[in-house]
Amino acid sequence: MNDGTPLLRRTPSPPSEQTAVGDPTLADADRAPTGMKHIRSLLVRRGSSLVEPFGDDTGSYQSIKSGLSTIVIIGTCIGLIMPQNTNLPTPWYRILSSAIGYTYFLAWSVSFYPQVVQNCKRRSTVGLSTDFTVINHFGYICYTCYTTTLFWSSGIHEEYRRRYGPEAKNTVQSNDVAFAIHALVLSFVWVAQIYRYDGFKTQPLSKPFQIFLLVVVFTCISFAIAIRFRIGGYGWLDFVYLLSCWKVIITISKCVPQVLLNYRRKSTEGWSPWNVTLDISGGGLSLLQLVLDSIDLKDWSGVTGNLAKLGLSLVTIFFDIIFLTQHYILYPRQ
C-alpha cells in the first residue's frame, strides 16, 4: 500500500556492465577479437561456394563465378603439395604444371556430381540420355586402361622409348590417372541411377548403340589376340593407343544423343549445366597442360604420343559449346 512516500527505482546497469560483472566469460567473448569471427565467416563462405555446384541447376553467373574460383584455389593448393613430374626439366614449371593438372582434375571430377545430386533430388533420370550414360561408362573403361598402363607399366614405357627415342617421355601424369579412375567410378553411379530410378525398360539402350558397343568389345578382343600371337607386328603400345582412339570416338558418339534429346524436348531440364561448365573448364586446362608440357620438354611427341588427352580436350570443348548454347541461348529456362 502506498502511504505517499515516493518509491525509489533502481536504474538498471548498462548491459555491458551486467555482463562484465555477472559473467566474466561472456565479457571475454564480447571482447574477443573480430579477427576470428572474420576467419570463421570467410571459411563458411568458401565452404558454401564449394558445394554450390552440387545444388545449382540453373548455372547462374554468380554461382559459376564463385564455384569456379573455389575450384581453382583448391586445385592449385593440391598441385602445390602433390609430387611434381620430375621428367619436366624446368623446376618452376613443374609446380605450374602440377597446379594446372590438379585444377583440371578437380574440375573434371567435380563435374560428375551435380548430375548425381540432381538425379537424387528429382528421384528420376528423365532428361538424361541412357545412350549417353552407358557409352560414357564404356569410354572411361578404355581411358582408365590407357592412362594406368602408360603411367605404371614398365613394358609399355620401354615400347614407348623404342618408338619415339630413348629420351622420349610420355606426358601421362598422376592427375590423369586419378581422374580416369574417379570418372570410371562416377560414370558407373550414373548407370546405376538410371537402373534405380527409371530403369532400362522405360529408357532402353538404342539398337545402334548396342551394336556399337559390341563392335568396340569385339575389336579390342580381336586386337589383343593378334598381339598375343604376334600377328601383324603390333605391340601392346598399339593396343593402348587403340583404347585411346575408342575413347575419343565414344566421347564424340556419346554427346550426340544428349544434343538430340535436348533438341527434341526443346529443353535442358533434367540435365545439369554444371556438368558442362566444369567439363569445358577441365578440357581447356587439360589441353593447356599438354601443350605447355611438350614445350618445356622441347618434344612434341608428348602431344602425338598422348592422342587420347589431346582428342578428349578438343572434342570436350567442341560439344560443351553446343550444350551451353542450348542451355543459355536456344532453350533458356523461364
Side-chain angles (χ1 to χ4, degrees):
M1 181 176 179
N2 188 352
D3 56 2
T5 305
L7 296 176
L8 298 177
R9 298 179 181 273
R10 183 181 179 184
T11 303
S13 302
S16 60
E17 294 180 8
Q18 291 179 6
T19 303
V21 175
D23 192 341
T25 303
L26 291 176
D28 292 340
D30 287 342
R31 289 194 299 267
T34 59
M36 291 301 297
K37 296 179 181 179
H38 176 71
I39 292 174
R40 286 196 296 268
S41 176
L42 179 63
L43 290 175
V44 169
R45 289 199 305 270
R46 287 291 91 185
S48 175
S49 64
L50 177 62
V51 300
E52 227 169 352
F54 302 100
D56 177 32
D57 59 353
T58 62
S60 66
Y61 170 76
Q62 188 61 35
S63 174
I64 289 175
K65 183 179 71 172
S66 179
L68 286 182
S69 64
T70 303
I71 288 173
V72 170
I73 293 171
I74 295 177
T76 301
C77 292
I78 295 174
L80 292 176
I81 63 177
M82 291 298 288
Q84 276 85 49
N85 184 1
T86 55
N87 291 330
L88 297 171
T90 308
W92 66 265
Y93 176 70
R94 295 174 188 171
I95 300 174
L96 178 60
S97 177
S98 181
I100 294 174
Y102 277 96
T103 301
Y104 110 68
F105 156 74
L106 190 63
W108 263 357
S109 297
V110 172
S111 70
F112 286 89
Y113 288 95
Q115 189 68 57
V116 173
V117 173
Q118 187 165 320
N119 293 342
C120 289
K121 286 169 59 178
R122 298 170 65 240
R123 301 191 67 80
S124 171
T125 56
V126 173
L128 178 64
S129 169
T130 302
D131 289 343
F132 170 91
T133 305
V134 174
I135 201 73
N136 189 41
H137 181 59
F138 270 83
Y140 281 117
I141 292 175
C142 294
Y143 190 60
T144 302
C145 294
Y146 167 81
T147 55
T148 53
T149 51
L150 269 178
F151 189 74
W152 278 310
S153 174
S154 57
I156 294 295
H157 293 170
E158 183 61 31
E159 280 193 50
Y160 190 92
R161 284 190 292 269
R162 286 200 302 266
R163 180 167 301 184
Y164 295 106
E167 301 300 323
K169 305 289 185 181
N170 79 73
T171 52
V172 173
Q173 300 196 34
S174 59
N175 55 268
D176 298 318
V177 177
F179 164 71
I181 295 174
H182 178 270
L184 178 66
V185 175
L186 264 295
S187 61
F188 177 77
V189 172
W190 285 20
V191 175
Q193 284 186 317
I194 288 182
Y195 177 79
R196 170 69 178 81
Y197 292 128
D198 298 299
F200 287 96
K201 291 183 179 179
T202 57
Q203 295 190 75
L205 188 65
S206 67
K207 291 293 183 181
F209 273 85
Q210 292 181 33
I211 296 173
F212 178 73
L213 288 178
L214 289 176
V215 171
V216 173
V217 174
F218 176 78
T219 303
C220 291
I221 293 176
S222 301
F223 200 70
I225 292 174
I227 294 172
R228 176 65 181 83
F229 292 100
R230 300 180 179 178
I231 301 173
Y234 295 105
W236 288 111
L237 182 61
D238 298 301
F239 180 76
V240 171
Y241 283 155
L242 173 66
L243 294 177
S244 72
C245 290
W246 274 128
K247 170 56 183 167
V248 174
I249 294 172
I250 286 173
T251 300
I252 296 173
S253 60
K254 77 176 183 181
C255 293
V256 173
Q258 188 67 55
V259 171
L260 294 178
L261 180 63
N262 294 343
Y263 171 75
R264 287 196 296 267
R265 298 173 69 232
K266 297 294 187 290
S267 169
T268 58
E269 185 176 358
W271 166 90
S272 173
W274 264 106
N275 175 29
V276 169
T277 303
L278 294 169
D279 204 30
I280 194 171
S281 302
L285 290 172
S286 174
L287 181 61
L288 178 64
Q289 184 192 37
L290 182 63
V291 172
L292 292 181
D293 283 1
S294 297
I295 292 174
D296 190 55
L297 289 166
K298 296 180 176 60
D299 179 12
W300 288 100
S301 68
V303 174
T304 58
N306 197 353
L307 293 176
K309 189 171 181 177
L310 175 64
L312 282 179
S313 299
L314 295 175
V315 171
T316 294
I317 293 171
F318 174 76
F319 276 101
D320 285 346
I321 291 173
I322 296 177
F323 286 134
L324 292 174
T325 301
Q326 287 183 318
H327 182 74
Y328 289 105
I329 299 176
L330 296 180
Y331 319 123
R333 294 189 179 184
Q334 301 299 323

